[in-house]
Every structure is written in C-alpha cells, then in structure tokens.
C-alpha cells in the first residue's frame, strides 16, 4: 500500500526555520515527482515546490524561492523541505504528494498520492 507520512511541523517564530520530512512506504520515491503543498485556513491548497523523478531537478513557486529547499534521500526513501526565514504568511497545513508522469508542476490535481499533512505555525 502506497503511503506518505509528513512530519516536522510545529510552532516557530518569524525568521525561524523548520525542516519537514515526507517518508514513503510501499513505493520508491525516486520514480515519482514529489511535491509540497500547503493550505491555510479559508484558502485553497497551493503548490510550492517539487522535485522531479529521476534527475531530481526542482521547481519552486516564487513565494518560497530562496527561502525553501527541497531535497530527496533515496536511501531513506524520504523527501525533505527545509524552510528558512519563515513568515506568518507561511502558516498552513503542509502536505506532500507523489505524482506519476508529472514534471516541474505543482498543480494539486496532477498528483496521485497524498499524505495527511503537518501543521506549521509561524507566530511570535
């Protein structure tokens, strides 16, 4: 059974950092494009970054470019999202998702498998 589990969320002050993890079971992450998405209360889910299957090239939305970094550890079958210089506007539930036949896109409808999400709150 394919499963994605996010972890690493929490409460952080503005300007702080967090690292989220997305651990996969039942399949190899290397064969899927993995995206990170977030959903704030009352807003639609938005894609922020993805790492492509195979070559590991990445795509970042302008809202997080230069602050967030996605990486993949194939040995641990885990994708990470390092988030620096966090802002209150980054507060949301963060989800990872896996997509087949997807490259360099963070449109939620194109992804096939989703984790349950982890809460990130940026507040003083």
């Amino acid at each position: 059974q394919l499963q994605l589990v996010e972890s690493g969320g929490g409460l952080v002050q503005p300007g702080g950092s967090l690292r989220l993890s997305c651990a996969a079971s039942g399949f190899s992450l290397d064969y899927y494009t993995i995206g990170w998405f977030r959903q704030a209360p009352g807003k639609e889910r938005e894609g922020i970054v993805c790492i492509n299957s195979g070559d590991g090239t990445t795509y970042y939305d302008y809202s997080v470019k230069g602050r967030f970094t996605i990486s993949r550890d194939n040995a641990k079958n885990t994708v990470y999202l390092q988030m620096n210089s966090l802002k209150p506007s980054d507060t949301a539930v963060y989800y990872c998702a896996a997509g087949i036949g997807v490259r360099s896109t963070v449109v939620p409808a194109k992804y096939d498998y989703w984790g349950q999400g982890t809460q990130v709150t940026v507040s003083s």
Side-chain angles (χ1 to χ4, degrees), residues 55-77:
D55 63 9
T57 52
T58 57
Y59 167 83
Y60 291 87
D61 183 75
Y62 75 94
S63 62
V64 301
K65 196 167 188 178
R67 299 189 299 124
F68 291 10
T69 303
I70 190 171
S71 61
R72 185 177 68 208
D73 186 332
N74 291 336
K76 295 183 178 180
N77 213 26

Side-chain angles (χ1 to χ4, degrees), residues 71-87:
S71 61
R72 185 177 68 208
D73 186 332
N74 291 336
K76 295 183 178 180
N77 213 26
T78 299
V79 168
Y80 301 99
L81 182 65
Q82 178 67 43
M83 305 188 296
N84 299 328
S85 303
L86 283 162
K87 307 173 183 179

Side-chain angles (χ1 to χ4, degrees), residues 12 18 20 23 37 40 57 59 73 92 98 102 110 118 121:
V12 63
L18 281 176
L20 305 183
F37 303 79
T57 52
Y59 167 83
D73 186 332
V102 175
K110 293 190 178 293
T118 186
T121 303

Side-chain angles (χ1 to χ4, degrees), residues 89-107:
S89 57
D90 294 317
T91 295
V93 178
Y94 282 70
Y95 301 88
C96 66
I100 280 281
V102 175
R103 287 192 68 83
S104 298
T105 181
V106 287
V107 175

